[in-house]
Structure formats: structure tokens, C-alpha cells
Amino acid sequence: MKKAIVLISVMAAALLTGCNKQTAKSNLSSQSSSSSKIVRHETKSSSEAPRINIHKKYKGFKLATVPSQYRGTWYRGDPYSKRARKLVITEHTVNGDVTYQKVDPNLKLNRHSEKQNKKYSGNIVLIDTQGNSLKVRGFLDLASLDYQPGQFKNHDCLFLSYGTDPSVINGAIFMDKNVALKYRKYDFTKVKKNGSLSNPVDEE
């Protein structure tokens, strides 16, 4: 009888040990599986990030250099949000778009051309820095965004114009995020191109 009890105890212990090993192995396997899933997911998302290639060539265009007074990290306030939007301008990019200039005057751009729409797709823009402004537009766009350096209430900024009338200031971007948020609801159409207020009453 004692031998039978001892034998049953040994067998039970062996079964429990086997179950524990199997459970541990199963847990390890599921952890490994979930880890590999996470790694694959992270790799996929990082590979989907747009890559900036300033060496890519387009016939009739050349890589353009953004003048130093426009470069930096800028912020623009949104009247409907308490978060400022960031704009990063570097030597050869505007917000991640590589900057080019058209050098072939005979090259005709046609926004209705399927071939050109395919050819000039991606993170690329045309810039023009004649005068005291930086004009930025897509290769096949008709309108430009116009950035002009200036000062607003003693803060360095870039005044922003867009639309059919480039003389109208539609907004301003600042290097100080807090300043951008402070004036997020300000009506910048009151400001003239030289940075002075068209309205003599200086509103806060």
C-alpha cells in the first residue's frame, strides 16, 4: 500500500512538472510571437515614413537653396485649436518637401496631364525667392504660399499670404510657440506688407 502511495505521488509530481514546463513553453512562445509582431509592425511603420531625397533630379529643374532668413522651426496658431502647427524650413526643404527651381523656360507644365501628375508626385515643391518673399507651390499648382520676413508687435515672424490677392496678409508664423498661440485669433488682414497695422488701434 505504501509503495502504491509513493508511486502515485511520484507520478503526480512528474505530471505537474510536465504541465508547468508546457505552460512556461506556451507562455514563452506567445510572448515571442507577440514580440515579433510588434517588431514587424514597428518596422513597417518606420518604412512607411516619407524619405527626403534631395539628390533626385527632374529634367528642367534644379535643387534650390532656401535663403537663411526663412530657415528654422516656426509655429502658426490655429483659431480653432489650442495647439500650434509646426513648420520646419531647412536649406533644401519646406516642411519635408524638397525645394526646386525651374531652369528650362521652354518646359510647359500642365496640371491636367496625367503623365506629369505622375512624374511630379511626391514631396517636392517649387520655390521662388525674388524680392523680399519666399514663394512656395507644388510643381503643377497655380497658386503659391508667400512668406515674407517681418516683425509683429516686436516679434520676428514670417507673414503668410495666399489666395488671389498676394498683397493681403492672411496670417503669421513665429519662432516662439507661445506667441503663435497668443495671436491665434488675430485678424492679420489688418497688417500691411511692411508689417505696420492698417488700423491705428493696436489690439491685443
Side-chain angles (χ1 to χ4, degrees):
M1 184 70 176
K2 285 182 181 178
K3 286 182 180 180
I5 291 171
V6 169
L7 187 60
I8 290 168
S9 298
V10 170
M11 286 176 66
L15 282 170
L16 284 173
T17 305
C19 287
N20 286 340
K21 282 182 180 177
Q22 184 62 33
T23 304
K25 185 178 178 182
S26 175
N27 288 342
L28 186 62
S29 174
S30 67
Q31 285 175 0
S32 171
S33 173
S34 62
S35 297
S36 64
K37 282 179 185 174
I38 292 169
V39 169
R40 281 199 298 271
H41 177 69
E42 286 173 354
T43 306
K44 184 180 177 184
S45 60
S46 62
S47 67
E48 286 174 355
R51 291 182 180 179
I52 297 172
N53 181 6
I54 64 170
H55 303 294
K56 189 168 183 180
K57 298 188 184 305
Y58 294 90
K59 189 176 180 181
F61 301 91
K62 71 171 184 178
L63 184 68
T65 301
V66 179
S68 58
Q69 65 264 36
Y70 301 101
R71 297 180 210 162
T73 300
W74 303 86
Y75 298 92
R76 184 180 181 200
D78 183 340
Y80 303 105
S81 172
K82 292 186 178 179
R83 285 188 170 186
R85 286 179 288 176
K86 186 191 290 187
L87 172 72
V88 179
I89 302 177
T90 69
E91 187 178 6
H92 298 298
T93 66
V94 175
N95 233 27
D97 294 330
V98 182
T99 54
Y100 290 87
Q101 283 180 326
K102 187 180 172 186
V103 291
D104 181 359
N106 299 317
L107 178 62
K108 303 296 182 188
L109 293 173
N110 180 3
R111 63 194 181 101
H112 300 294
S113 165
E114 188 177 333
K115 184 179 178 181
Q116 286 193 2
N117 271 285
K118 188 175 181 180
K119 184 177 182 179
Y120 301 128
S121 65
N123 54 334
I124 53 176
V125 288
L126 290 175
I127 66 167
D128 183 3
T129 54
Q130 292 178 0
N132 188 32
S133 68
L134 171 69
K135 295 183 187 301
V136 182
R137 68 177 176 87
F139 271 45
L140 302 175
D141 291 344
L142 298 176
S144 300
L145 285 173
D146 185 282
Y147 300 96
Q148 179 187 326
Q151 272 207 339
F152 180 73
K153 298 186 180 180
N154 298 318
H155 299 288
D156 290 332
C157 68
L158 292 179
F159 290 113
L160 175 63
S161 296
Y162 52 83
T164 54
D165 188 354
S167 66
V168 175
I169 291 176
N170 302 104
I173 56 175
F174 301 88
M175 286 201 160
D176 188 325
K177 186 192 293 186
N178 293 324
V179 174
L181 290 172
K182 180 179 179 180
Y183 295 111
R184 67 191 178 92
K185 293 186 178 181
Y186 191 86
D187 181 6
F188 282 94
T189 58
K190 297 177 184 178
V191 182
K192 294 180 181 177
K193 273 289 187 179
N194 62 7
S196 65
L197 289 163
S198 56
N199 185 342
V201 179
D202 189 1
E203 298 176 3
E204 282 294 332

